[in-house]
Amino acid sequence: MSEPRPRADGRAGGGPDGATDFPTRLTKLVGVRHPLVQTGMGWVAGPRLVSAAANAGALGILASATMTPAQLRTAVREVASRTDAPFGVNLRADALDARERVRIIVDEGVRVASFALAPSRELIAELKDAGVVVIPSIGARRHAEKVAAWGADAVIVQGGEGGGHTGSVATTVLLPQVVDAVDIPVIAAGGFFDGRGLIAALAYGAAGIAMGTRFLLTSDSTVPPAVQARYLEASVKDVTVTTKVDGLPHRMLHSELVAALERSGRTVALLRAVRHAASFRKLSGLSWSRMIREGLAMKHGKDLGWGQILLAANTPMLLKASMVDGRTDLGVMASGQVAGLIDDLPSCAELVDRIMAEASRARAALPG
C-alpha cells in the first residue's frame, strides 16, 4: 500500500510522520495517526466501519471469516475507495483457503493481516515477504512467544473482559506478562473504551489499544438500531460468558436466547447446530465435503471433539441473526464487559478525537 495521503477534509493522513500526540511503536509500524485499533468483528467490521475508523486515524480491520474470497476482494476494494489510510484484514489461520485470502491481501496492497488464531510460520513468512504487517491476536503468553519467534510484527493481547471468544485471565494480569515476554509491539484489548484506558495500557508498556464493542457502538456501525439499543441498555452484570453457543467460552449480552441455550440439553444443541451448519453452507457456498475438511482443520492440533466442532456452526448464523438481521430474539450479541459503561453512539471520528483528548488530559493529570 502506498504512503497514506492527506484526506479530503484537511486532516492529516496517517503515517510515520503524521501528526499524533502519542507516537508509539504501533503508529510507526502500521502508519496510523493514533495508537487505536478497531477489531475485526464478524458481520460488523465491514467496509463502512473500517473506512470510518481508518479515516479517523485508527487502524480499521476488516472481518473476512464470514465472506467468500470474492466478497473479500470486493470489500477490500470498497474500503480502499473510501480511504487512503492504512487498514487491515482479519483472517482465520486454520481456514482451508487461507492462502487464497493471503494472496488477495497481497494483490490488493492491504497494509495489515491480523489473525484470530496463531498463523503458521509459513503464512507469516509469506505475508512478510510481500511487505504485509502481521498482527495475530493471542490470549496467553506462550502464544505470544510462539508467534513472535515465527516473525510476527506485533500481537493483540485480549484479556478475559473482551467480547466473543475469550479466556479467563484479566487484561491487567495478561498484558504485563506478554509485554515482559516479547520484544515486538503489544496491543492491549479487553476492557478499553476511553482515553484513560489508553494511558493505562501505555503505562503497562503496550503500544496501543484495540476495541471492538466501542466501535460497534458508533453511528458508522451497520449493526441495526434495535441491537445497538440492547447494548446501550446493558449494565456490566448483563454481560455473561457461556459455552452453550459453540462449546467454547464466549462473552456476550445475556438474553432470552442465551438463557434458553443454557437450559437446552446436548441433543437439542446438536440438532440446532446441524440446522445452522446447513444454513451457513448455503450462505457461504461451501459443499458438505468442504465443511467436513474445515472441521478436520479445526481439529488439527486441538483437543476438540466432533460435537464441539459441530456446535461451532452456531456462531456465524447466530451472530448474523442479530448483527445483520436485527433479531435479538434469534441471535447472540457478542460483547465486551465495557458495554455496561457505554451510553452513546458517536461517529468514529468523534470517538477517536474524544479518546485522544481524554488521554491528553489523563496524562497531564498524572503527578510530575
Side-chain angles (χ1 to χ4, degrees), residues 125-141:
E126 185 174 342
L127 285 160
K128 291 192 65 168
D129 286 346
V132 180
V133 176
V134 180
I135 307 179
S137 294
I138 58 94
R141 180 180 64 185

Side-chain angles (χ1 to χ4, degrees), residues 223-298:
V223 171
V227 179
Q228 288 186 321
R230 287 292 294 268
Y231 280 89
L232 295 177
E233 293 165 0
S235 70
V236 172
K237 292 183 178 180
D238 292 325
V239 186
T240 187
V241 175
T242 181
T243 61
K244 291 297 186 177
V245 173
D246 57 10
L248 298 172
H250 203 136
R251 188 176 289 285
M252 60 187 63
L253 294 187
H254 189 74
S255 65
E256 297 82 357
L257 175 62
V258 171
L261 289 173
E262 294 186 333
R263 289 194 303 267
S264 64
R266 185 167 180 80
T267 300
V268 172
L270 289 175
L271 288 173
R272 181 186 295 110
V274 169
R275 292 198 303 271
H276 288 150
S279 298
F280 188 63
R281 185 192 70 83
K282 183 177 180 180
L283 185 69
S284 65
L286 297 177
S287 65
W288 282 109
S289 61
R290 173 66 178 274
M291 290 187 70
I292 291 171
R293 293 200 302 275
E294 293 274 6
L296 287 169
M298 289 177 66

